[in-house]
Amino acid sequence: MVKAVVGANWGDEGKGKITDMLAEHTDIIVRFQGGANAGHTIKNHYGKFSLHTLPSGVFYNHTTNIIGNGVALDISKLIHEIESITSQGVPAPNILVSDRAQIVMSYHILLDQYEEERLGGKSFGSTKSGIAPFYSDKYAKIGFQVSELFDEALLAEKVQRVCELKNAMLEHLYHKPLLEGPQILQELHRYRDMIAPYVADTASFLQQAIKDGKTVLLEGQLGTLRDPDHGIYPMVTSSSTLAGYGAIGAGVPPYEIKQVITVCKAYSSAVGAGEFVTEIFGGEADDLRKRGGDGGEYGATTGRPRRMGWFDCVASKYGCRLQGTTDVAFTVLDVLGYLEEIPVCVGYEIDGAVTTEFPTTAGLKKAKPVYETLPGWKCSITGIRNYGELPQNCRRYIEFIESQIGYPITMVSNGPSREDIIYRHP
Ligand code: GDP
């Protein structure tokens, strides 16, 4: 049985917590896209962790954690992350890295920085982790696949080809130091030695596991609105954030994905640039930001203050639809307990007409939120485990949003820890 945990919005919905929680009853957790440019924050009995590359199942002994072929693999960061969790008392996790995953090179990170510099104020808000140059190279067929690290002749030939191309750009576009073949080759050798113990044909491993009746969880990064096809292009990431891509980025048959758990936060936040119709500013945003998440809404990778907004039913309905949602996990509801009233966006007004359909970016630029205001519950809901024990206005908030987005909210998260969860049975 394969399930996916994915985000409905801009990311930071709390996927890490939901994955860590579900991993208790999961055999294999797979990261299927993205790189070290975003993070999942996880709080459990070992401490608080910010994972960027490792799957969120690494805190259990019984799990196998896979870096799938779809991931942008930063090998130094991966090894560093393994060391950082084991040094905090987590037993050495069981990790497999796909022999088809491709490698983020130091020049990808440099090119990302140079391009941001070049664009100046018109930048795409990149985290400068090399993700866009990495995926560009993957599809331009000049990326390095993990399997290739073990083929010396191929490496030598390819390094030369890459240097020729990159140096043309470095010299004439960016006016920066050029790449040197021997150094790039050395970098690849270092990566080969670091990654060798983990390399496997993970797609075959998964095929056998599925045959043996094991449970597999595909863990997404970011959310629908950052998908390069269906998101707020061009302010998107460079790999698909959709559950459907989980089949490709992990190497499992699409029909094996039986459950898609889409994580939706009880309010909105976004890191970096891009259209954000329900964004709020000033004191109203500060109040929510400092209470949000666990210790405030600041980027897990970048530390940047997140942009804040009210819950957006238009974006979330769309976000859930593109994911193929079977279940919604509604998270971080506990932080809204301070509000007298809570605005919820139920439509967009574009050129005088109200719509509940999420438009393309040009439409989003013109969209104004249409709000309905719901009464707050003005108390703490932390520690509650039964749905019926939630304050009436809190249930009303959940049920109102559920009816607007049209997908069942089967889990409500009311705190950062594994135990802070309320299951709702239809
Ligand atoms: P991800 O990338 O989707 O995993 O999201 P983040 O790592 O940004 O997680 C969001 C933040 O919210 C993290 O600091 C979590 O510990 C925290 N968090 C997750 N669920 C809840 C919840 O239900 N309540 C509270 N207060 N914090 C939560």
Side-chain angles (χ1 to χ4, degrees), residues 22-29 57 59-65 94:
L22 295 174
E24 189 180 349
H25 302 292
T26 304
D27 299 303
I28 303 163
I29 294 93
F59 300 100
Y60 297 93
N61 285 326
H62 68 271
T63 58
T64 300
N65 296 277
N94 197 1

Side-chain angles (χ1 to χ4, degrees), residues 7 11-18 38-43 48-51 56 219-222 263 265 267 269 291-300 306 330-335 412-417 420:
D12 307 319
E13 298 92 348
K15 296 176 293 295
K17 178 240 161 103
I18 300 294
H40 298 298
T41 313
I42 294 164
K43 196 174 184 179
K48 191 173 172 182
F49 300 89
S50 192
L51 298 185
S56 301
E219 180 182 17
Q221 185 212 35
L222 297 168
V263 185
K265 192 153 62 179
Y267 53 89
S269 73
R291 290 180 171 86
D294 179 32
E297 288 281 359
Y298 302 93
R306 292 177 181 152
F330 196 58
T331 59
V332 209
L333 185 60
D334 47 304
V335 314
V412 175
S413 172
N414 59 342
S417 302
D420 297 322

